[in-house]
Amino acid sequence: MSHDPDIQAIKKRQKLIRNFSIIAHIDHGKSTLADRILEHTKSISAREMREQLLDSMDLERERGITIKLNAVQIKHAHHDGNTYIFHLIDTPGHVDFTYEVSRSLAACEGALLVVDAAQGIEAQTLANVYLALDNDLEIIPVINKIDLPSADIPKVKHDIENIIGLDTEHCVLVSAKEGIGIADILDRIITAIPAPSGDPEAPLKALIFDSYYDSYRGVVPSIRVVEGTLRKGDRIKMMATRKTLEVIEIGVFTPKQEKCDVLGPGDVGYLTAAIKTVEHVRVGDTITHEKRPAQSPLPGYRQLNPMVYCGLFPIDSNDYVALREALERLRLNDASLVYEPENSRALGFGFRIGFLGTLHMEIIQARIDREFDIPLIATAPSVIYHVYAADGTMTIIDNPCMMPETQAIARIEEPHMEATLFTPKDYVGNVMELCQKKRGVFKDMKYIGDMRVQLTYHLPLLEIVYDFFDKLKSCSKGYASLDYHFHSYRPSQLVRMDIMINGEIVDALSLVVHRDFAYARGKAITEKLKELIPRHMFEVPIQAAIQNKIIARSTVKALRKNVLAKCYGGDITRKKKLLEKQKEGKKRMKSVGNVDVPQSAFLSVLSLDD
Amino acid sequence: MSTFRNPRFSPCFHWMIDMAGPNSIADVRGLYVHIPFCESICHYCDFVKTRARADTKKAYLSAVRRELEQYVRYFASVKTLYIGGGTPSCLDDAETDALFSLLKPVFDTADLTEITVECNPLDVTPAYARRLKSRGVNRISLGIQTMQEKHLQALGRKHDARAAAQSISNVRAAGFENISVDLLFAMPGETLAEVQDDLSRITALAPEHISCYHLSVEEGTRLYVKKQRGELVETDEDLAAEMYAAVMDTLAANGYHQYEISSFAKPGRESGHNLIYWRNEDYLGIGCGAHSNVEQRRWHNHMRVKTYIDALKTPAGPIAEYYPFEGMKDALMMGLRLREGVDIDALKRIYGTDVFKQYPGLKDAIATGLLTYDHPRIALTRRGMFLGNCVFAVLEGDAHD
């Protein structure tokens, strides 16, 4: 045991650290509660704090950082005479971001579970609670909005005990709006959530749970020290990427960045090391010292499987490099993003990308468009097929366009997943019906507690990536969850469907579909495209074809009238403006032969109502 | 032909210094005077207009006189005078007299062949018609719009079909031999049958000229607000095309020659004033919001009545903004609206460039049947009239891309 006074100080301080997150459904009062906690402990209003923060962040904004308020250090002078150090780590709201939630939780020992006293437990609460439980967190139930006339505290307590299985003996009753119960929460945090374990003298292990890019300081990882001690000037090593660096600065978020000299076990903060290469920092990685490194890294958290894939192509092929850089930057604070280069005859060079869900995909795509100013086209999702010729040779096809002609194919095999679905028992029927519709094969069903059911199905990955996740959520009011892993390749009656616009095959729209679904999907796609493709001076036929046989079609009628009715002396500028506007509209379109096809048309094929 | 000054516009400091000196050989053919006052605002109108008090109108006319006085040297070449609005006919007798009195220098200097006043049918009493005739007006343009009562109401027009017919008869009785009627089609919810009905009733009244416009919903109008709220039933594109075809065919069958996209006239009764715009000739606009095109300079006056009146009390004058004169592009944009089209040899002489070299897209327009080329004239075909913007789009940003 060391007698180093420095280490003693760190150990003493460590006992006073409490790291927690707040888990809540949207609108159940998470931000108000967080504000109240900040006000209570800091004695300044959250608004003042935000103003301070925004002032310092304007500068940062200019330097191109994406602002994230996700790890705040709060000092709380408790009535027992000690000053505790709380780290409040934020969890994002939406159901798509289970992965994000899980990595925030990995930095905590406990979580406040906030439930609206009138609304009760909702889907998202449940999903995140299970995550917290999976991470072995100490959960403190907090019932909020007790001031509402419709509050039903006994019922909510009952639900918490029975649906989640949490003891509510010590649950805290609060009204964030009225400021009631805040001190009780802080007391509970101190008593119920354990101080971080971890030996400040052990080899360093620090978890990277987030990061962002600052054009001046490079990549700035947010870290949680688990073992050992980190000081400014240390030489560190990233255990997964094996990169060694010298630490230039370390600090905490108050929420402004505040430098400090040492971070010990349980501390949450950031470091800078002039890291210019985005690939060197991987969220989930462990940081250790170059000399006296840790034997093994911290358990990374589970990589969640992407649910939806699509191809993203820049409308302007000159933007390819910019797109690649954008994806690198986005992956910095969104490690769930999975991507690799892809090539299309119609659209040129782009990427095939995996997302956690359609919201995730829409957000990434919108961010690329807006933050990086790269207009994009998306293509229909696909998986990897094994195609066997008559003589038994197998080819691996990952692009529908590369699918050979039917005569050359003896059989096609597609990947099947073993899917585990959790759902409240009320929705079991809906979920099973959905799996059946998606060519699923039932394997197992069992009850977890008396309210939850676990279903096991074998499902083709193709059906999972195309629209399954959204449908699962909507048939179960958001309560159901899905996890899957690869099981086997199985033969299926699959066909390649091509989409032709004005007689020309648009390879980016080609897709592989099960024969039984071909007509319905072809019809849905051709109808959707008809709405989205603008009228041209000639009729534009839209066709879905399998092996040159048209199975569905629609037509965009020819434009019959497009002329400015009035044009006298003063109208000439108005006319020029109108024409210029029409011309601008065309810029966001991709030409397929003579036809101008808007971005939305390519995106639309990703989400169709069957 | 005018001398060519640098077409780049410059901000206006001293209004008069900037204009051509006494040696100018500008050839202003038309004079437009704007009367921005109305009794009520129609739901589709985005022209410069306002309901106003008597003292404002008086101040306005004084300002107009002051502006007009600055342009005396241009009057000699003027052939057409057009008093538009707003509703010029909403001026009372004293105000009308004041207007014509300030226009006296124009009448005295110019050899006017066409003097037009825009009128609301309700204002055209026999007395009013006679008054205008006595002042030398020889053409009346009536804002009839439609004979369908329910559409008149929906557009905020105050007259009815009977009043419309009566106004034409009053104008005839006063001795006018050149009457123009404005008609709209593709009003919200209008049927093809209603369009046919309007056409037969108007042709029965036999005006010399008909301007027939596809209604467009412009920003700043009540119809636009309705549209934003999702309360407007806009006419289906294809139905609008049928309507336009019906307009063309019915008017042709009744002796009207379509000489411009929206303009139909009995032989020899084309609007002389409007032809000046379409043939890209020089014209002067007086009054608030009025546009001018003189010696390759284009400008417009301040839009708001008060700003216009105040501006004329200062040396800065009424010009709000100059905007680009784009020679060949303008000539084509405007000229191709005419059935007669444009003479490309003339353009080559004036601007020194080959039209097809400058705008290769025009060749595509010919290939797709939107334009005919009968050397040296290019002109819109019938289909080209329907799809005119597809041709004009070629002129917008196509040059040497």
Side-chain angles (χ1 to χ4, degrees):
Chain A
M1 179 114 89
S2 168
H3 293 285
D4 177 353
D6 213 22
I7 294 291
Q8 293 304 334
I10 291 173
K11 281 189 180 166
K12 192 158 166 231
R13 181 174 163 280
Q14 192 177 327
K15 292 199 177 72
L16 299 172
I17 297 177
R18 301 290 185 271
N19 296 334
F20 66 99
S21 269
I22 304 179
I23 298 173
H25 192 75
I26 297 168
D27 295 342
H28 280 205
K30 182 171 93 165
S31 22
T32 321
L33 187 61
D35 284 354
R36 286 280 181 262
I37 293 176
L38 288 174
E39 277 170 23
H40 193 100
T41 53
K42 302 217 113 189
S43 312
I44 67 170
S45 76
R47 184 159 64 85
E48 285 172 87
M49 179 183 295
R50 249 182 237 116
E51 277 165 22
Q52 284 175 12
L53 177 64
L54 288 172
D55 279 344
S56 67
M57 275 186 164
D58 271 343
L59 179 61
E60 268 127 332
R61 212 183 267 126
E62 275 177 60
R63 283 154 53 182
I65 307 171
T66 26
I67 290 144
K68 263 182 141 196
L69 198 71
N70 69 343
V72 182
Q73 184 182 84
I74 306 166
K75 294 222 168 90
H76 171 52
H78 195 56
H79 51 63
D80 69 4
N82 291 311
T83 296
Y84 287 86
I85 301 160
F86 290 167
H87 292 111
L88 167 57
I89 300 181
D90 195 16
T91 62
H94 193 270
V95 89
D96 251 13
F97 295 100
T98 339
Y99 185 66
E100 291 227 11
V101 172
S102 101
R103 62 191 167 102
S104 309
L105 293 179
C108 310
E109 273 75 37
L112 301 178
L113 169 64
V114 180
V115 184
D116 183 320
Q119 301 272 38
I121 296 182
E122 298 215 43
Q124 200 196 337
T125 331
L126 218 50
N128 292 346
V129 170
Y130 293 130
L131 264 179
L133 289 170
D134 285 347
N135 276 285
D136 284 328
L137 264 54
E138 187 60 43
I139 301 183
I140 299 173
V142 173
I143 300 181
N144 190 20
K145 303 196 190 177
I146 56 175
D147 55 299
L148 284 180
S150 48
D152 186 350
I153 296 168
K155 171 157 193 310
V156 176
K157 276 193 177 176
H158 180 265
D159 282 350
I160 292 176
E161 298 212 343
N162 291 310
I163 298 180
I164 303 177
L166 279 178
D167 185 1
T168 56
E169 188 192 337
H170 293 292
C171 95
V172 188
L173 302 174
V174 314
S175 163
K177 188 169 92 158
E178 304 292 322
I180 302 169
I182 309 301
D184 296 336
I185 292 183
L186 299 172
D187 281 348
R188 198 74 204 126
I189 290 173
I190 291 169
T191 30
I193 297 181
S197 61
D199 180 2
E201 294 181 287
L204 175 68
K205 283 189 189 179
L207 175 71
I208 302 176
F209 68 91
D210 199 1
S211 67
Y212 68 89
Y213 187 85
D214 176 331
S215 49
Y216 282 74
R217 304 196 291 170
V219 181
V220 179
S222 295
I223 59 176
R224 152 72 201 263
V225 178
V226 178
E227 297 274 356
T229 310
L230 181 67
R231 289 184 172 81
K232 193 171 86 157
D234 284 358
R235 281 203 66 85
I236 57 171
K237 181 165 95 170
M238 305 287 193
M239 291 186 78
T241 62
R242 320 206 67 77
K243 181 85 185 136
T244 57
L245 302 152
E246 180 176 313
V247 175
I248 294 174
E249 178 184 314
I250 59 177
V252 294
F253 299 99
T254 65
K256 277 195 312 189
Q257 290 182 350
E258 212 174 82
K259 290 194 270 210
C260 68
D261 295 320
V262 61
L263 291 172
D267 272 325
V268 175
Y270 68 91
L271 66 84
T272 70
I275 307 167
K276 291 299 184 184
T277 315
V278 155
E279 280 86 32
H280 293 156
V281 176
R282 214 183 278 172
V283 171
D285 196 4
T286 305
I287 293 177
T288 189
H289 282 124
E290 190 184 16
K291 302 201 171 106
R292 204 168 85 103
Q295 291 284 35
S296 55
L298 292 163
Y301 22 81
R302 245 165 8 128
Q303 180 91 11
L304 284 185
N305 291 316
M307 299 289 181
V308 177
Y309 295 87
C310 72
L312 283 186
F313 294 83
I315 289 187
D316 180 353
S317 51
N318 293 323
D319 280 339
Y320 176 79
V321 175
L323 177 58
R324 190 186 62 213
E325 284 171 1
L327 288 168
E328 283 168 6
R329 295 280 175 87
L330 287 172
R331 193 167 39 192
L332 262 189
N333 48 36
D334 189 350
S336 59
L337 198 60
V338 160
Y339 61 89
E340 58 185 41
E342 176 159 295
N343 186 15
S344 149
R345 225 178 319 155
L347 303 177
F349 289 96
F351 292 90
R352 185 144 67 95
I353 311 189
F355 305 93
L356 295 178
T358 26
L359 177 69
H360 190 201
M361 180 182 75
E362 282 163 18
I363 288 180
I364 294 293
Q365 195 233 317
R367 283 184 72 183
I368 296 175
D369 195 323
R370 272 187 247 122
E371 283 172 39
F372 299 90
D373 199 21
I374 306 174
L376 294 172
I377 289 177
T379 70
S382 95
V383 300
I384 299 174
Y385 305 96
H386 291 172
V387 178
Y388 292 86
D391 64 358
T393 50
M394 178 188 73
T395 343
I396 295 184
I397 304 277
D398 65 358
N399 191 336
C401 314
M402 305 304 283
M403 192 71 81
E405 296 307 323
T406 335
Q407 308 89 281
I409 300 177
R411 78 179 180 284
I412 303 178
E413 293 192 355
E414 58 170 344
H416 277 64
M417 304 287 119
E418 178 157 295
T420 313
L421 303 115
F422 289 93
T423 173
K425 70 170 196 228
D426 288 348
Y427 304 106
V428 168
N430 286 359
V431 173
M432 290 179 74
E433 196 185 316
L434 175 65
C435 291
Q436 238 112 277
K437 258 203 326 203
K438 293 288 193 179
R439 302 194 280 131
V441 176
F442 174 82
K443 285 291 168 192
D444 191 21
M445 169 160 111
K446 62 175 187 249
Y447 276 79
I448 315 272
D450 57 342
M451 300 294 282
R452 230 165 54 128
V453 174
Q454 177 185 318
L455 289 163
T456 310
Y457 268 85
H458 282 179
L459 284 161
L461 180 60
L462 179 60
E463 301 302 333
I464 294 178
V465 300
Y466 195 92
D467 217 22
F468 181 78
F469 193 56
D470 288 340
K471 290 210 155 73
L472 178 67
K473 290 292 177 184
S474 63
C475 81
S476 65
K477 292 219 174 45
Y479 282 93
S481 66
L482 166 71
D483 190 19
Y484 63 84
H485 57 268
F486 176 76
H487 185 270
S488 57
Y489 267 85
R490 303 229 196 107
S492 288
Q493 296 297 309
L494 298 172
V495 289
R496 182 186 89 212
M497 183 157 69
D498 291 320
I499 306 295
M500 299 194 283
I501 297 181
N502 204 25
E504 230 180 87
I505 293 183
V506 183
D507 69 347
L509 291 173
S510 291
L511 59 150
V512 171
V513 66
H514 190 270
R515 170 163 310 178
D516 295 344
F517 296 162
Y519 172 66
R521 199 153 293 168
K523 187 150 186 299
I525 293 177
T526 52
E527 286 303 318
K528 198 66 189 279
L529 288 173
K530 174 188 154 137
E531 285 166 40
L532 296 171
I533 294 177
R535 293 173 77 162
H536 286 63
M537 283 201 336
F538 44 87
E539 215 173 60
V540 178
I542 301 169
Q543 297 154 313
I546 296 177
Q547 248 187 281
N548 301 317
K549 179 160 166 249
I550 311 289
I551 59 159
R553 64 145 44 102
S554 68
T555 315
V556 180
K557 289 187 286 186
L559 186 62
R560 287 191 53 200
K561 193 168 189 299
N562 178 19
V563 68
L564 187 65
K566 256 189 219 204
C567 196
Y568 297 115
D571 300 310
I572 198 166
T573 24
R574 177 216 307 251
K575 183 169 186 173
K576 290 180 185 174
K577 274 194 191 132
L578 172 71
L579 293 171
E580 214 180 278
K581 210 169 102 173
Q582 288 184 353
K583 199 172 75 125
E584 280 301 305
K586 279 197 170 189
K587 274 206 193 130
R588 295 222 143 208
M589 305 215 213
K590 196 78 186 176
S591 299
V592 174
N594 285 337
V595 181
D596 295 316
V597 182
Q599 277 176 280
S600 55
F602 290 94
L603 290 165
S604 73
V605 295
L606 290 166
S607 54
L608 296 171
D609 292 320
D610 276 333
Chain B
M1 209 181 297
S2 345
T3 44
F4 304 125
R5 303 205 10 211
N6 184 346
R8 288 190 180 287
F9 66 85
S10 53
C12 171
F13 295 105
H14 279 268
W15 166 37
M16 288 319 305
I17 295 170
D18 222 18
M19 296 305 297
N23 297 318
S24 142
I25 46 172
D27 189 13
V28 173
R29 297 284 175 89
L31 188 69
Y32 174 85
V33 180
H34 190 68
I35 306 296
F37 308 112
C38 294
E39 289 300 312
S40 66
I41 311 294
C42 303
H43 300 176
Y44 55 86
C45 178
D46 71 335
F47 282 165
V48 181
K49 77 278 175 188
T50 176
R51 281 162 293 189
R53 302 185 329 249
D55 51 352
T56 313
K57 293 192 222 176
K58 192 159 175 219
Y60 182 77
L61 289 173
S62 299
V64 165
R65 158 179 281 139
R66 244 196 314 277
E67 185 185 2
L68 201 58
E69 279 164 7
Q70 309 302 328
Y71 295 126
V72 170
R73 69 179 169 286
Y74 291 124
F75 295 170
S77 51
V78 172
K79 291 274 169 269
T80 67
L81 172 64
Y82 194 105
I83 301 170
T87 315
S89 59
C90 85
L91 296 177
D92 65 26
D93 287 348
E95 287 157 351
T96 307
D97 286 345
L99 173 62
F100 280 93
S101 151
L102 67 85
L103 285 170
K104 191 167 182 308
V106 181
F107 280 92
D108 289 347
T109 324
D111 178 21
L112 298 170
T113 53
E114 182 190 270
I115 302 109
T116 314
V117 177
E118 277 181 356
C119 299
N120 183 309
L122 288 174
D123 296 327
V124 188
T125 59
Y128 183 73
R130 282 194 300 269
R131 185 177 221 96
L132 289 182
K133 188 91 187 4
S134 71
R135 297 287 178 270
V137 177
N138 62 8
R139 186 170 179 270
I140 301 281
S141 172
L142 290 163
I144 289 178
Q145 318 307 349
T146 174
M147 298 296 256
Q148 311 300 312
E149 307 286 351
K150 76 174 204 255
H151 291 300
L152 282 168
Q153 271 175 40
L155 295 177
R157 299 295 286 177
K158 301 297 183 200
H159 67 265
D160 59 13
R162 205 197 51 77
Q166 187 63 51
S167 68
I168 293 183
S169 122
N170 291 350
V171 170
R172 282 265 182 256
F176 283 91
E177 290 173 344
N178 200 352
I179 303 175
S180 174
V181 167
D182 277 1
L183 262 191
L184 290 174
F185 68 91
M187 295 176 284
E190 191 184 18
T191 64
L192 190 56
E194 285 170 328
V195 173
Q196 288 290 22
D197 188 50
D198 271 350
L199 290 169
S200 54
R201 289 164 77 165
I202 294 294
T203 51
L205 294 165
E208 281 71 24
H209 184 282
I210 300 174
S211 298
C212 192
Y213 309 112
H214 180 149
L215 174 70
S216 67
V217 180
E218 301 293 338
E219 264 186 65
T221 64
R222 270 176 78 156
L223 283 186
Y224 187 75
V225 172
K226 274 183 111 180
K227 181 174 167 174
Q228 300 286 73
R229 290 207 211 116
E231 290 165 13
L232 196 69
V233 179
E234 284 193 283
T235 307
D236 171 73
E237 280 179 47
D238 292 318
L239 179 57
E242 307 254 318
M243 290 176 172
Y244 190 45
V247 166
M248 282 181 172
D249 297 337
T250 310
L251 293 180
N254 280 279
Y256 292 89
H257 163 62
Q258 179 180 17
Y259 67 99
E260 189 262 349
I261 286 173
S262 303
S263 309
F264 303 80
K266 297 259 170 86
R269 298 297 201 203
E270 294 79 11
S271 165
H273 187 79
N274 290 341
L275 281 170
I276 292 172
Y277 299 135
W278 295 316
R279 288 178 179 152
N280 210 29
E281 292 167 355
D282 283 9
Y283 52 89
L284 253 181
I286 311 288
C288 61
H291 289 249
S292 304
N293 175 29
V294 178
E295 291 191 312
Q296 307 206 342
R297 315 287 292 285
R298 287 191 189 275
W299 71 84
H300 71 85
N301 290 344
H302 290 290
M303 308 288 278
R304 307 181 93 226
V305 173
K306 186 166 188 321
T307 319
Y308 171 81
I309 292 173
D310 290 343
L312 272 146
K313 297 178 185 151
T314 74
I319 299 178
E321 193 193 358
Y322 287 87
Y323 53 95
F325 175 91
E326 291 184 281
M328 188 151 80
K329 184 202 265 192
D330 291 347
L332 287 164
M333 282 252 194
M334 297 306 264
L336 285 174
R337 296 185 65 89
L338 293 168
R339 170 62 58 78
E340 73 185 20
V342 169
D343 177 338
I344 63 173
D345 275 349
L347 286 181
K348 184 159 188 180
R349 279 196 305 274
I350 300 172
Y351 299 106
T353 335
D354 182 76
V355 164
F356 291 119
K357 234 200 240 144
Q358 184 81 351
Y359 300 109
L362 289 176
K363 289 201 218 142
D364 298 327
I366 296 171
T368 51
L370 296 178
L371 276 184
T372 53
Y373 177 30
D374 190 8
H375 191 82
R377 303 200 80 89
I378 53 171
L380 289 174
T381 58
R382 180 183 161 106
R383 187 156 165 260
M385 293 247 162
F386 280 79
L387 293 169
N389 285 354
C390 301
V391 178
F392 302 136
V394 161
L395 305 172
E396 188 55 53
D398 185 17
H400 295 308
D401 261 336

